[in-house]
Amino acid sequence: MKKSSVILLVCLTLSGIAACSRESLKATYDKQVGFIEGFISAQMKADTNATLFHNGKAYRLTLHDTLDRVLGPRETLLDGGKVSLYYACYTLTGSSLSAGNLVATNVKDIARQAGWNLSDTLRYKLDTLTLDNSLVSGLQEGLRGVRQYDECVVLFTGEFGFGNTERGTIPARSALAYLFWIENIDNEK
């Protein structure tokens, strides 16, 4: 076989492998969208006051969304703003969350229920994040517009999370569900 034929064969094989890999990744993310939609459907049936926001990258399900009736309009998080919050992050491998899928939290009671070591007391405190490019796009899009005192779940596929990168206890290409309890919004720059 001529050298050019071998090179062509190698190139065709590699492009075929890449195409199969892209197809497999797309199927993975499509399956994750199904998990997300199943989770949302179950939550909205259980909480008739829940509201859903979706922008193509992330879903935000605000639970028990009745505070505006009591408090009136509240400040919403804008790009560059800071949000102080408590959270619990889960990998989403089905249409529900379980302690076995908990990968991060700053809520001591949730960590205790999951059987985590509670000796690192600095871990369990209010966190403050800035809505900017330092966050993965799923979090940027999901947190934009949250309001003070919201309790919400932000969900997104691995495509808008950490992609092909394993991040601590989060496997590569993982769909994620973040439960957030929003304490404060500060859009002052």
Side-chain angles (χ1 to χ4, degrees):
M1 196 180 276
K2 290 184 176 179
K3 185 176 180 179
S4 62
S5 296
V6 170
I7 291 172
L8 178 61
L9 183 60
V10 168
C11 288
L12 288 173
T13 301
L14 290 175
S15 68
I17 291 170
C20 287
S21 184
R22 280 191 302 274
E23 291 290 320
S24 174
L25 196 53
K26 182 181 179 335
T28 296
Y29 293 148
D30 288 347
K31 185 176 182 181
Q32 291 175 356
V33 168
F35 293 156
I36 290 169
E37 290 174 348
F39 177 87
I40 289 169
S41 177
Q43 293 301 310
M44 291 192 81
K45 284 179 185 168
D47 181 355
T48 58
N49 290 314
T51 57
L52 179 64
F53 166 81
H54 178 238
N55 67 1
K57 290 187 178 180
Y59 300 77
R60 182 178 65 242
L61 186 62
T62 303
L63 306 171
H64 329 296
D65 197 10
T66 59
L67 286 177
D68 282 343
R69 292 183 217 152
V70 177
L71 300 175
R74 294 169 282 143
E75 185 171 16
T76 61
L77 182 63
L78 305 174
D79 288 330
K82 294 185 185 313
V83 58
S84 298
L85 50 75
Y86 290 99
Y87 70 90
C89 176
Y90 298 82
T91 55
L92 189 63
T93 57
S95 60
S96 63
L97 305 179
S98 70
N101 290 355
L102 180 68
V103 292
T105 187
N106 66 347
V107 180
K108 199 170 195 173
D109 287 341
I110 291 174
R112 181 181 297 111
Q113 291 169 4
W116 286 18
N117 181 339
L118 302 176
S119 62
D120 182 4
T121 56
L122 295 178
R123 171 186 250 177
Y124 305 107
K125 63 179 179 54
L126 189 68
D127 274 350
T128 300
L129 304 173
T130 301
L131 187 62
D132 63 15
N133 291 335
S134 67
L135 301 175
V136 295
S137 63
L139 280 177
Q140 287 177 50
E141 300 300 325
L143 282 170
R144 185 179 293 114
V146 295
R147 297 167 299 169
Q148 185 176 23
Y149 307 124
D150 275 356
E151 179 181 341
C152 59
V153 185
V154 172
L155 306 109
F156 48 91
T157 67
E159 180 178 9
F160 303 112
F162 297 105
N164 291 326
T165 306
E166 184 176 307
R167 186 67 158 238
T169 57
I170 302 172
R173 295 175 293 285
S174 291
L176 298 174
Y178 280 85
L179 277 71
F180 288 116
W181 295 269
I182 308 299
E183 295 293 316
N184 191 45
I185 304 289
D186 181 4
N187 287 311
E188 297 295 318
K189 296 191 171 93

